[in-house]
PDB file of all heavy atoms in Angstrom:
ATOM      1  N   ALA A  68     -45.572  39.566 -44.457  1.00 96.00           N
ATOM      2  CA  ALA A  68     -44.833  39.757 -43.141  1.00 96.00           C
ATOM      3  C   ALA A  68     -44.572  41.212 -42.987  1.00 96.00           C
ATOM      4  O   ALA A  68     -44.780  41.742 -41.835  1.00 96.00           O
ATOM      5  CB  ALA A  68     -43.559  38.982 -43.330  1.00 96.00           C
ATOM      6  N   CYS A  71     -47.714  42.859 -41.708  1.00 92.00           N
ATOM      7  CA  CYS A  71     -48.164  42.571 -40.310  1.00 92.00           C
ATOM      8  C   CYS A  71     -47.151  43.367 -39.333  1.00 92.00           C
ATOM      9  O   CYS A  71     -47.749  43.854 -38.400  1.00 92.00           O
ATOM     10  CB  CYS A  71     -47.593  41.086 -39.993  1.00 92.00           C
ATOM     11  SG  CYS A  71     -48.884  39.950 -40.719  1.00 92.00           S
ATOM     12  N   LEU A  77     -47.554  44.097 -35.578  1.00 85.00           N
ATOM     13  CA  LEU A  77     -47.389  42.928 -34.987  1.00 85.00           C
ATOM     14  C   LEU A  77     -45.929  42.639 -34.780  1.00 85.00           C
ATOM     15  O   LEU A  77     -45.044  43.315 -35.361  1.00 85.00           O
ATOM     16  CB  LEU A  77     -47.971  41.703 -35.806  1.00 85.00           C
ATOM     17  CG  LEU A  77     -49.565  41.747 -35.766  1.00 85.00           C
ATOM     18  CD1 LEU A  77     -50.010  40.796 -36.858  1.00 85.00           C
ATOM     19  CD2 LEU A  77     -49.991  41.328 -34.432  1.00 85.00           C
ATOM     20  N   GLY A  78     -45.549  41.621 -33.971  1.00 86.00           N
ATOM     21  CA  GLY A  78     -44.016  41.455 -33.581  1.00 86.00           C
ATOM     22  C   GLY A  78     -43.465  40.330 -34.297  1.00 86.00           C
ATOM     23  O   GLY A  78     -44.121  39.785 -35.295  1.00 86.00           O
ATOM     24  N   PRO A  79     -42.282  39.828 -33.923  1.00 90.00           N
ATOM     25  CA  PRO A  79     -41.528  38.831 -34.606  1.00 90.00           C
ATOM     26  C   PRO A  79     -42.231  37.424 -34.758  1.00 90.00           C
ATOM     27  O   PRO A  79     -42.083  36.842 -35.927  1.00 90.00           O
ATOM     28  CB  PRO A  79     -40.399  38.510 -33.702  1.00 90.00           C
ATOM     29  CG  PRO A  79     -40.277  39.784 -32.806  1.00 90.00           C
ATOM     30  CD  PRO A  79     -41.595  40.344 -32.722  1.00 90.00           C
ATOM     31  N   THR A  80     -43.108  36.918 -33.745  1.00 91.00           N
ATOM     32  CA  THR A  80     -43.758  35.767 -34.043  1.00 91.00           C
ATOM     33  C   THR A  80     -44.719  35.792 -35.255  1.00 91.00           C
ATOM     34  O   THR A  80     -44.734  34.802 -36.021  1.00 91.00           O
ATOM     35  CB  THR A  80     -44.580  35.382 -32.777  1.00 91.00           C
ATOM     36  OG1 THR A  80     -43.664  35.379 -31.671  1.00 91.00           O
ATOM     37  CG2 THR A  80     -45.236  34.003 -32.861  1.00 91.00           C
ATOM     38  N   ALA A  81     -45.455  36.825 -35.311  1.00 92.00           N
ATOM     39  CA  ALA A  81     -46.371  36.982 -36.397  1.00 92.00           C
ATOM     40  C   ALA A  81     -45.583  37.104 -37.721  1.00 92.00           C
ATOM     41  O   ALA A  81     -46.047  36.564 -38.827  1.00 92.00           O
ATOM     42  CB  ALA A  81     -47.267  38.344 -36.360  1.00 92.00           C
ATOM     43  N   VAL A  82     -44.456  37.788 -37.693  1.00 94.00           N
ATOM     44  CA  VAL A  82     -43.641  37.800 -38.951  1.00 94.00           C
ATOM     45  C   VAL A  82     -43.257  36.479 -39.396  1.00 94.00           C
ATOM     46  O   VAL A  82     -43.346  36.183 -40.570  1.00 94.00           O
ATOM     47  CB  VAL A  82     -42.473  38.840 -38.741  1.00 94.00           C
ATOM     48  CG1 VAL A  82     -41.409  38.672 -39.951  1.00 94.00           C
ATOM     49  CG2 VAL A  82     -43.019  40.264 -38.583  1.00 94.00           C
ATOM     50  N   ILE A  83     -42.801  35.737 -38.540  1.00 95.00           N
ATOM     51  CA  ILE A  83     -42.372  34.298 -38.855  1.00 95.00           C
ATOM     52  C   ILE A  83     -43.563  33.495 -39.392  1.00 95.00           C
ATOM     53  O   ILE A  83     -43.527  32.883 -40.438  1.00 95.00           O
ATOM     54  CB  ILE A  83     -41.861  33.533 -37.532  1.00 95.00           C
ATOM     55  CG1 ILE A  83     -40.585  34.125 -37.158  1.00 95.00           C
ATOM     56  CG2 ILE A  83     -41.692  32.063 -37.753  1.00 95.00           C
ATOM     57  CD1 ILE A  83     -40.108  33.764 -35.746  1.00 95.00           C
ATOM     58  N   CYS A  84     -44.770  33.572 -38.764  1.00 95.00           N
ATOM     59  CA  CYS A  84     -45.965  32.925 -39.218  1.00 95.00           C
ATOM     60  C   CYS A  84     -46.379  33.410 -40.603  1.00 95.00           C
ATOM     61  O   CYS A  84     -46.915  32.584 -41.381  1.00 95.00           O
ATOM     62  CB  CYS A  84     -47.128  33.112 -38.232  1.00 95.00           C
ATOM     63  SG  CYS A  84     -46.698  32.353 -36.616  1.00 95.00           S
ATOM     64  N   ALA A  85     -46.236  34.765 -40.793  1.00 96.00           N
ATOM     65  CA  ALA A  85     -46.607  35.294 -42.148  1.00 96.00           C
ATOM     66  C   ALA A  85     -45.748  34.828 -43.267  1.00 96.00           C
ATOM     67  O   ALA A  85     -46.172  34.502 -44.323  1.00 96.00           O
ATOM     68  CB  ALA A  85     -46.523  36.835 -42.195  1.00 96.00           C
ATOM     69  N   LEU A  86     -44.426  34.615 -43.005  1.00 96.00           N
ATOM     70  CA  LEU A  86     -43.464  34.097 -43.915  1.00 96.00           C
ATOM     71  C   LEU A  86     -43.884  32.539 -44.235  1.00 96.00           C
ATOM     72  O   LEU A  86     -43.710  32.247 -45.414  1.00 96.00           O
ATOM     73  CB  LEU A  86     -42.126  34.134 -43.423  1.00 96.00           C
ATOM     74  CG  LEU A  86     -41.412  35.518 -43.349  1.00 96.00           C
ATOM     75  CD1 LEU A  86     -39.987  35.445 -42.575  1.00 96.00           C
ATOM     76  CD2 LEU A  86     -41.233  36.038 -44.716  1.00 96.00           C
ATOM     77  N   ILE A 112     -50.507  28.896 -34.952  1.00 89.00           N
ATOM     78  CA  ILE A 112     -50.996  29.995 -35.811  1.00 89.00           C
ATOM     79  C   ILE A 112     -50.921  29.518 -37.351  1.00 89.00           C
ATOM     80  O   ILE A 112     -51.912  29.783 -38.072  1.00 89.00           O
ATOM     81  CB  ILE A 112     -50.127  31.247 -35.560  1.00 89.00           C
ATOM     82  CG1 ILE A 112     -50.314  31.696 -34.151  1.00 89.00           C
ATOM     83  CG2 ILE A 112     -50.447  32.276 -36.515  1.00 89.00           C
ATOM     84  CD1 ILE A 112     -49.410  32.802 -33.703  1.00 89.00           C
ATOM     85  N   ARG A 148     -53.844  36.569 -33.639  1.00 84.00           N
ATOM     86  CA  ARG A 148     -52.979  36.738 -34.669  1.00 84.00           C
ATOM     87  C   ARG A 148     -53.309  36.172 -35.925  1.00 84.00           C
ATOM     88  O   ARG A 148     -52.884  36.429 -37.008  1.00 84.00           O
ATOM     89  CB  ARG A 148     -51.566  36.469 -34.148  1.00 84.00           C
ATOM     90  CG  ARG A 148     -50.930  37.575 -33.315  1.00 84.00           C
ATOM     91  CD  ARG A 148     -49.647  37.180 -32.711  1.00 84.00           C
ATOM     92  NE  ARG A 148     -49.765  36.046 -31.854  1.00 84.00           N
ATOM     93  CZ  ARG A 148     -48.749  35.704 -31.020  1.00 84.00           C
ATOM     94  NH1 ARG A 148     -47.686  36.232 -31.000  1.00 84.00           N
ATOM     95  NH2 ARG A 148     -48.990  34.678 -30.229  1.00 84.00           N
ATOM     96  N   ILE A 152     -53.036  38.135 -39.297  1.00 91.00           N
ATOM     97  CA  ILE A 152     -52.184  37.754 -40.425  1.00 91.00           C
ATOM     98  C   ILE A 152     -53.050  37.637 -41.723  1.00 91.00           C
ATOM     99  O   ILE A 152     -52.656  37.928 -42.782  1.00 91.00           O
ATOM    100  CB  ILE A 152     -51.307  36.614 -40.153  1.00 91.00           C
ATOM    101  CG1 ILE A 152     -50.402  36.884 -38.930  1.00 91.00           C
ATOM    102  CG2 ILE A 152     -50.461  36.091 -41.264  1.00 91.00           C
ATOM    103  CD1 ILE A 152     -49.692  35.601 -38.271  1.00 91.00           C
TER     104      ILE A 152
END
Side-chain angles (χ1 to χ4, degrees):
C71 283
L77 291 167
T80 305
V82 166
I83 292 167
C84 298
L86 287 170
I112 296 173
R148 280 175 292 194
I152 297 166

